[in-house]
Protein backbone atom coordinates (compact mmCIF):
# COMPACT_ATOMS: atom_id res chain seq x y z
CA UNK A 1 0.00 0.00 0.00
CA UNK A 2 1.58 3.32 -1.07
CA UNK A 3 2.63 5.65 1.70
CA UNK A 4 0.28 8.62 2.16
CA UNK A 5 1.84 11.93 1.31
CA UNK A 6 1.28 15.00 3.43
CA UNK A 7 -0.78 17.72 1.75
CA UNK A 8 1.28 20.10 -0.30
CA UNK A 9 1.91 23.47 1.35
CA UNK A 10 2.20 26.45 -0.99
CA UNK A 11 5.61 28.07 -0.91
CA UNK A 12 6.08 31.13 1.26
CA UNK A 13 6.24 33.30 -1.83
CA UNK A 14 2.73 32.25 -2.84
CA UNK A 15 1.38 33.21 0.59
CA UNK A 16 3.12 36.55 0.49
CA UNK A 17 1.80 37.21 -3.01
CA UNK A 18 -1.76 36.34 -1.94
CA UNK A 19 -1.55 38.60 1.10
CA UNK A 20 -0.10 41.40 -1.00
CA UNK A 21 -2.86 41.04 -3.61
CA UNK A 22 -5.53 41.09 -0.90
CA UNK A 23 -3.95 44.22 0.56
CA UNK A 24 -3.92 45.91 -2.84
CA UNK A 25 -7.56 45.02 -3.43
CA UNK A 26 -8.56 46.28 0.01
CA UNK A 27 -6.56 49.47 -0.34
CA UNK A 28 -7.96 50.04 -3.82
CA UNK A 29 -11.50 49.50 -2.57
CA UNK A 30 -11.01 51.99 0.25
CA UNK A 31 -9.50 54.48 -2.17
CA UNK A 32 -12.40 54.13 -4.61
CA UNK A 33 -14.93 54.47 -1.81
CA UNK A 34 -13.24 57.60 -0.45
CA UNK A 35 -13.05 59.06 -3.96
CA UNK A 36 -16.75 58.36 -4.45
CA UNK A 37 -17.58 60.03 -1.14
CA UNK A 38 -15.61 63.18 -1.99
CA UNK A 39 -17.05 63.27 -5.49
CA UNK A 40 -20.63 62.96 -4.19
CA UNK A 41 -20.04 65.82 -1.75
CA UNK A 42 -18.50 68.04 -4.44
CA UNK A 43 -21.32 67.34 -6.86
CA UNK A 44 -23.98 68.10 -4.28
CA UNK A 45 -22.26 71.36 -3.42
CA UNK A 46 -21.96 72.32 -7.11
CA UNK A 47 -25.65 71.65 -7.68
CA UNK A 48 -26.59 73.68 -4.62
CA UNK A 49 -24.42 76.60 -5.71
CA UNK A 50 -25.93 76.59 -9.20
CA UNK A 51 -29.41 76.78 -7.69
CA UNK A 52 -28.59 79.55 -5.21
CA UNK A 53 -26.66 81.57 -7.78
CA UNK A 54 -29.60 81.33 -10.17
CA UNK A 55 -32.00 82.55 -7.49
CA UNK A 56 -29.69 85.39 -6.41
CA UNK A 57 -29.49 86.65 -10.00
CA UNK A 58 -33.24 86.96 -10.44
CA UNK A 59 -34.13 90.56 -11.34
CA UNK A 60 -37.69 90.47 -10.06
CA UNK A 61 -38.54 91.79 -6.61
CA UNK A 62 -39.41 88.65 -4.72
CA UNK A 63 -38.52 87.18 -1.36
CA UNK A 64 -36.51 83.97 -1.21
CA UNK A 65 -37.02 81.11 1.26
CA UNK A 66 -34.65 78.14 1.32
CA UNK A 67 -35.63 74.86 2.96
CA UNK A 68 -32.64 72.69 3.91
CA UNK A 69 -33.00 69.09 4.99
CA UNK A 70 -32.99 65.39 4.28
CA UNK A 71 -35.43 63.13 2.48
CA UNK A 72 -38.15 64.57 4.74
CA UNK A 73 -37.71 67.85 2.86
CA UNK A 74 -37.58 66.07 -0.48
CA UNK A 75 -40.88 64.29 0.19
CA UNK A 76 -42.62 66.96 2.24
CA UNK A 77 -42.01 70.24 0.40
CA UNK A 78 -43.46 70.71 -3.06
CA UNK A 79 -41.26 71.90 -5.96
CA UNK A 80 -40.89 75.58 -6.85
CA UNK A 81 -43.82 75.87 -9.34
CA UNK A 82 -46.32 74.98 -6.61
CA UNK A 83 -45.23 77.93 -4.46
CA UNK A 84 -44.99 80.28 -7.45
CA UNK A 85 -48.64 79.61 -8.20
CA UNK A 86 -49.81 79.54 -4.58
CA UNK A 87 -48.02 82.76 -3.60
CA UNK A 88 -48.58 84.76 -6.76
CA UNK A 89 -44.89 85.00 -7.63
CA UNK A 90 -44.08 87.11 -4.56
CA UNK A 91 -41.97 84.37 -2.97
CA UNK A 92 -39.52 81.83 -4.30
CA UNK A 93 -39.41 78.73 -2.13
CA UNK A 94 -36.59 76.37 -3.06
CA UNK A 95 -35.48 73.09 -1.54
CA UNK A 96 -31.95 71.94 -0.83
CA UNK A 97 -32.12 68.33 0.27
CA UNK A 98 -30.01 65.23 0.48
CA UNK A 99 -31.59 61.86 1.12
CA UNK A 100 -29.97 60.08 4.04
CA UNK A 101 -28.25 63.25 5.26
CA UNK A 102 -27.49 64.35 8.77
CA UNK A 103 -26.39 67.77 10.01
CA UNK A 104 -22.72 67.08 9.30
CA UNK A 105 -23.60 66.45 5.65
CA UNK A 106 -24.13 70.21 5.38
CA UNK A 107 -21.60 71.56 7.90
CA UNK A 108 -18.54 69.33 7.43
CA UNK A 109 -18.77 67.25 4.26
CA UNK A 110 -20.12 69.96 1.99
CA UNK A 111 -20.03 73.74 2.04
CA UNK A 112 -23.76 74.31 1.66
CA UNK A 113 -24.06 76.57 4.70
CA UNK A 114 -21.17 78.68 3.43
CA UNK A 115 -23.03 78.96 0.13
CA UNK A 116 -26.08 80.23 1.99
CA UNK A 117 -23.88 82.89 3.56
CA UNK A 118 -22.76 83.92 0.07
CA UNK A 119 -26.32 83.92 -1.30
CA UNK A 120 -28.38 84.69 1.83
CA UNK A 121 -32.13 84.05 1.59
CA UNK A 122 -34.78 86.14 3.30
CA UNK A 123 -35.92 83.10 5.28
CA UNK A 124 -33.87 79.99 6.03
CA UNK A 125 -36.01 77.01 7.06
CA UNK A 126 -33.95 74.26 8.67
CA UNK A 127 -35.41 70.80 9.15
CA UNK A 128 -35.62 70.30 12.91
CA UNK A 129 -35.05 66.54 12.53
CA UNK A 130 -31.38 67.31 11.82
CA UNK A 131 -31.00 69.26 15.07
CA UNK A 132 -32.82 66.98 17.47
CA UNK A 133 -30.97 63.67 17.12
CA UNK A 134 -27.66 62.30 15.95
CA UNK A 135 -28.43 60.61 12.65
CA UNK A 136 -26.30 58.34 10.47
CA UNK A 137 -24.97 59.92 7.28
CA UNK A 138 -26.01 57.94 4.23
CA UNK A 139 -23.42 59.83 2.18
CA UNK A 140 -20.42 58.76 4.22
CA UNK A 141 -18.38 55.62 3.65
CA UNK A 142 -18.72 53.22 6.57
CA UNK A 143 -15.89 51.32 8.22
CA UNK A 144 -17.70 50.40 11.44
CA UNK A 145 -19.71 47.40 10.25
CA UNK A 146 -19.14 43.79 9.27
CA UNK A 147 -16.93 43.09 6.26
CA UNK A 148 -19.86 42.25 3.91
CA UNK A 149 -21.74 45.41 4.96
CA UNK A 150 -18.65 47.55 4.43
CA UNK A 151 -18.09 46.02 0.99
CA UNK A 152 -21.71 46.61 0.00
CA UNK A 153 -21.43 50.20 1.22
CA UNK A 154 -18.34 50.77 -0.93
CA UNK A 155 -20.02 49.24 -4.00
CA UNK A 156 -23.08 51.40 -3.35
CA UNK A 157 -20.99 54.55 -3.29
CA UNK A 158 -19.14 53.67 -6.45
CA UNK A 159 -22.32 52.76 -8.30
CA UNK A 160 -24.20 55.84 -7.13
CA UNK A 161 -21.53 58.30 -8.18
CA UNK A 162 -20.69 56.50 -11.43
CA UNK A 163 -24.37 56.43 -12.38
CA UNK A 164 -24.62 60.20 -12.03
CA UNK A 165 -21.55 60.82 -14.20
CA UNK A 166 -22.51 62.63 -17.37
CA UNK A 167 -25.99 63.60 -16.14
CA UNK A 168 -25.46 67.06 -14.58
CA UNK A 169 -28.50 68.59 -16.28
CA UNK A 170 -30.79 65.98 -14.83
CA UNK A 171 -29.48 66.40 -11.29
CA UNK A 172 -28.88 70.15 -11.35
CA UNK A 173 -32.49 70.66 -10.30
CA UNK A 174 -33.74 70.09 -6.76
CA UNK A 175 -37.28 69.97 -8.12
CA UNK A 176 -37.37 66.20 -8.56
CA UNK A 177 -39.82 64.16 -6.50
CA UNK A 178 -38.92 61.00 -4.59
CA UNK A 179 -39.71 57.64 -6.21
CA UNK A 180 -43.03 56.02 -5.28
CA UNK A 181 -44.27 59.35 -3.94
CA UNK A 182 -47.88 58.43 -4.69
CA UNK A 183 -47.78 54.82 -3.53
CA UNK A 184 -50.15 53.64 -0.78
CA UNK A 185 -48.66 53.16 2.65
CA UNK A 186 -48.42 49.59 3.92
CA UNK A 187 -47.43 50.65 7.45
CA UNK A 188 -49.91 50.74 10.30
CA UNK A 189 -50.04 51.01 14.07
CA UNK A 190 -49.21 47.31 14.46
CA UNK A 191 -45.61 48.19 13.62
CA UNK A 192 -45.46 51.39 15.64
CA UNK A 193 -43.20 50.02 18.39
CA UNK A 194 -40.22 49.21 16.11
CA UNK A 195 -40.48 52.62 14.42
CA UNK A 196 -40.61 54.41 17.76
CA UNK A 197 -37.68 52.37 19.07
CA UNK A 198 -35.61 53.29 16.02
CA UNK A 199 -36.29 57.00 16.50
CA UNK A 200 -35.47 56.93 20.20
CA UNK A 201 -32.24 55.00 19.71
CA UNK A 202 -30.81 58.01 17.90
CA UNK A 203 -28.83 60.00 20.49
CA UNK A 204 -30.21 63.47 21.28
CA UNK A 205 -28.13 66.40 20.11
CA UNK A 206 -27.06 69.24 22.38
CA UNK A 207 -27.42 72.83 21.25
CA UNK A 208 -23.71 73.64 21.59
CA UNK A 209 -22.29 70.57 19.83
CA UNK A 210 -22.39 71.99 16.29
CA UNK A 211 -20.00 75.00 16.19
CA UNK A 212 -19.86 75.10 12.36
CA UNK A 213 -23.63 75.45 12.20
CA UNK A 214 -23.68 78.24 14.79
CA UNK A 215 -20.96 80.19 13.00
CA UNK A 216 -23.02 80.14 9.80
CA UNK A 217 -26.26 81.01 11.60
CA UNK A 218 -24.61 84.02 13.23
CA UNK A 219 -23.40 85.31 9.86
CA UNK A 220 -26.77 84.70 8.25
CA UNK A 221 -28.48 86.66 11.01
CA UNK A 222 -26.03 89.53 10.46
CA UNK A 223 -27.08 89.51 6.79
CA UNK A 224 -30.75 89.81 7.72
CA UNK A 225 -31.83 86.21 7.17
CA UNK A 226 -34.62 84.96 9.41
CA UNK A 227 -34.19 81.43 10.80
CA UNK A 228 -37.11 79.02 11.11
CA UNK A 229 -36.89 75.52 12.57
CA UNK A 230 -39.34 73.51 10.49
CA UNK A 231 -40.95 70.39 11.91
CA UNK A 232 -42.19 67.73 9.50
CA UNK A 233 -45.20 65.85 10.85
CA UNK A 234 -45.43 62.12 11.45
CA UNK A 235 -48.53 59.92 11.70
CA UNK A 236 -50.57 61.03 14.70
CA UNK A 237 -49.82 57.97 16.91
CA UNK A 238 -46.08 58.33 16.30
CA UNK A 239 -46.20 62.11 16.70
CA UNK A 240 -47.98 61.77 20.04
CA UNK A 241 -45.50 59.17 21.28
CA UNK A 242 -42.47 61.33 20.40
CA UNK A 243 -43.88 64.63 21.72
CA UNK A 244 -44.32 63.80 25.39
CA UNK A 245 -42.22 63.36 28.49
CA UNK A 246 -38.51 64.01 28.16
CA UNK A 247 -38.74 64.14 24.34
CA UNK A 248 -41.13 67.09 24.57
CA UNK A 249 -39.05 68.83 27.24
CA UNK A 250 -35.89 68.41 25.18
CA UNK A 251 -37.61 69.89 22.12
CA UNK A 252 -38.83 72.90 24.12
CA UNK A 253 -35.30 73.54 25.39
CA UNK A 254 -33.85 73.23 21.90
CA UNK A 255 -36.38 75.63 20.38
CA UNK A 256 -35.79 78.10 23.24
CA UNK A 257 -32.01 77.92 22.73
CA UNK A 258 -32.31 78.75 19.02
CA UNK A 259 -34.83 81.49 19.74
CA UNK A 260 -32.51 83.17 22.26
CA UNK A 261 -29.43 82.84 20.06
CA UNK A 262 -30.88 83.71 16.66
CA UNK A 263 -34.46 84.84 17.12
CA UNK A 264 -35.52 81.58 15.47
CA UNK A 265 -39.16 80.66 15.08
CA UNK A 266 -40.43 77.11 15.40
CA UNK A 267 -43.09 76.11 12.88
CA UNK A 268 -45.02 72.89 13.28
CA UNK A 269 -47.90 71.61 11.19
CA UNK A 270 -50.79 71.37 13.63
CA UNK A 271 -53.20 69.12 11.75
CA UNK A 272 -53.17 65.42 12.69
CA UNK A 273 -52.24 63.00 9.91
CA UNK A 274 -52.89 59.30 9.52
CA UNK A 275 -50.67 56.58 8.13
CA UNK A 276 -52.50 56.98 4.81
CA UNK A 277 -50.80 60.38 4.44
CA UNK A 278 -47.31 58.83 4.31
CA UNK A 279 -45.20 56.65 2.05
CA UNK A 280 -43.84 54.94 5.17
CA UNK A 281 -43.62 56.04 8.82
CA UNK A 282 -42.11 59.49 8.30
CA UNK A 283 -42.14 60.57 4.62
CA UNK A 284 -45.23 62.42 3.42
CA UNK A 285 -46.85 61.11 0.26
CA UNK A 286 -47.80 63.30 -2.66
CA UNK A 287 -51.28 64.32 -1.51
CA UNK A 288 -50.17 65.14 2.04
CA UNK A 289 -47.10 66.94 0.73
CA UNK A 290 -49.31 69.33 -1.21
CA UNK A 291 -51.40 70.05 1.89
CA UNK A 292 -48.29 70.59 4.01
CA UNK A 293 -46.79 72.86 1.32
CA UNK A 294 -50.00 74.88 1.10
CA UNK A 295 -49.82 75.41 4.88
CA UNK A 296 -46.14 76.36 4.58
CA UNK A 297 -46.88 78.86 1.80
CA UNK A 298 -49.62 80.49 3.86
CA UNK A 299 -47.38 80.59 6.93
CA UNK A 300 -44.57 82.22 4.96
CA UNK A 301 -46.93 84.78 3.51
CA UNK A 302 -48.28 85.60 6.98
CA UNK A 303 -45.21 85.33 9.21
CA UNK A 304 -42.17 85.26 6.95
CA UNK A 305 -42.27 88.79 5.58
CA UNK A 306 -40.10 90.35 8.24
CA UNK A 307 -37.64 92.00 5.85
CA UNK A 308 -37.49 93.70 2.49
CA UNK A 309 -36.92 91.56 -0.62
CA UNK A 310 -33.27 90.98 -1.40
CA UNK A 311 -33.58 91.93 -5.08
CA UNK A 312 -35.47 95.25 -5.05
Amino acid sequence: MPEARPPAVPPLGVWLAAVGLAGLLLGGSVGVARWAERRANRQFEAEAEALLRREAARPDSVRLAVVLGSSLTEAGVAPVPFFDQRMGGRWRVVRLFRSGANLESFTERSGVLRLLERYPPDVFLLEDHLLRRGLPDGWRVRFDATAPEVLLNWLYFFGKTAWRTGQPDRWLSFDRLPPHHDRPNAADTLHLAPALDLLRRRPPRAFAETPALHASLRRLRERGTRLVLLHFPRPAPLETATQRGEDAARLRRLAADYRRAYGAAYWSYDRPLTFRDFMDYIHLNQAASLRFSAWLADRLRRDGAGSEPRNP
Side-chain angles (χ1 to χ4, degrees):
M1 202 173 164
E3 184 179 349
R5 296 181 179 180
V9 178
L12 179 61
V14 174
W15 285 108
L16 291 176
V19 171
L21 179 60
L24 285 174
L25 289 174
L26 179 62
S29 299
V30 172
V32 168
R34 287 299 194 195
W35 167 83
E37 179 184 336
R38 290 192 298 270
R39 185 179 184 279
N41 288 328
R42 286 196 303 269
Q43 187 165 1
F44 174 74
E45 189 172 334
E47 293 169 359
E49 182 172 16
L51 172 65
L52 294 172
R53 187 172 58 243
R54 181 191 71 194
E55 295 300 329
R58 289 178 60 84
D60 46 332
S61 180
V62 295
R63 291 183 171 89
L64 175 64
V66 173
V67 187
L68 180 68
S70 65
S71 55
L72 296 181
T73 295
E74 179 185 11
V77 179
V80 169
F82 174 89
F83 291 94
D84 285 349
Q85 182 176 9
R86 178 90 181 184
M87 306 180 80
R90 297 179 181 178
W91 282 84
R92 291 281 291 182
V93 181
V94 300
R95 312 177 298 169
L96 291 176
F97 58 82
R98 202 171 191 188
S99 299
N102 63 7
L103 187 59
E104 286 72 24
S105 302
F106 305 116
T107 59
E108 297 178 7
R109 287 179 279 285
S110 70
V112 169
L113 286 173
R114 291 191 297 275
L115 291 175
L116 286 169
E117 295 173 35
R118 191 184 311 166
Y119 307 105
D122 296 285
V123 179
F124 175 36
L125 300 108
L126 182 58
E127 185 184 298
D128 79 328
H129 185 62
L130 301 174
L131 303 174
R132 295 175 63 179
R133 301 217 173 243
L135 306 170
D137 188 353
W139 288 85
R140 191 176 190 185
V141 180
R142 294 181 60 192
F143 295 94
D144 58 348
T146 63
E149 291 175 332
V150 169
L151 179 60
L152 287 174
N153 180 249
W154 294 348
L155 292 174
Y156 169 72
F157 256 92
F158 180 75
K160 176 163 58 177
T161 54
W163 179 60
R164 289 176 63 157
T165 300
Q167 302 184 72
D169 292 340
R170 177 180 177 184
W171 291 94
L172 197 60
S173 170
F174 284 90
D175 285 343
R176 66 184 186 270
L177 293 171
H180 313 299
H181 200 209
D182 57 350
R183 70 181 178 186
N185 188 2
D188 57 34
T189 54
L190 296 177
H191 305 94
L192 182 61
L196 184 60
D197 180 64
L198 178 63
L199 286 172
R200 286 182 170 164
R201 277 192 282 115
R202 309 297 190 200
R205 300 192 74 114
F207 172 77
E209 74 177 72
T210 50
L213 171 68
H214 293 299
S216 290
L217 292 181
R218 283 193 295 271
R219 287 189 283 268
L220 282 169
R221 190 179 191 189
E222 291 168 0
R223 288 163 171 76
T225 295
R226 184 185 183 193
L227 175 64
V228 172
L229 308 186
L230 182 62
H231 177 68
F232 285 84
R234 299 184 179 96
L238 192 57
E239 191 81 356
T240 300
T242 57
Q243 299 288 348
R244 62 188 181 192
E246 180 56 30
D247 289 330
R250 191 181 297 115
L251 175 58
R252 287 195 296 271
R253 289 194 298 268
L254 188 71
D257 286 339
Y258 279 92
R259 183 171 59 251
R260 281 192 298 269
Y262 310 109
Y266 186 84
W267 292 359
S268 179
Y269 189 70
D270 56 0
R271 302 164 197 175
L273 298 175
T274 70
F275 282 93
R276 290 189 299 273
D277 295 310
F278 292 79
M279 295 190 293
D280 46 32
Y281 287 108
I282 57 175
H283 296 94
L284 292 171
N285 63 24
Q286 190 170 31
S289 170
L290 294 177
R291 296 201 304 274
F292 177 79
S293 297
W295 166 84
L296 180 59
D298 295 344
R299 188 72 188 262
L300 273 170
R301 188 160 39 201
R302 186 180 75 240
D303 300 330
S307 61
E308 292 299 314
R310 294 196 171 277
N311 297 319

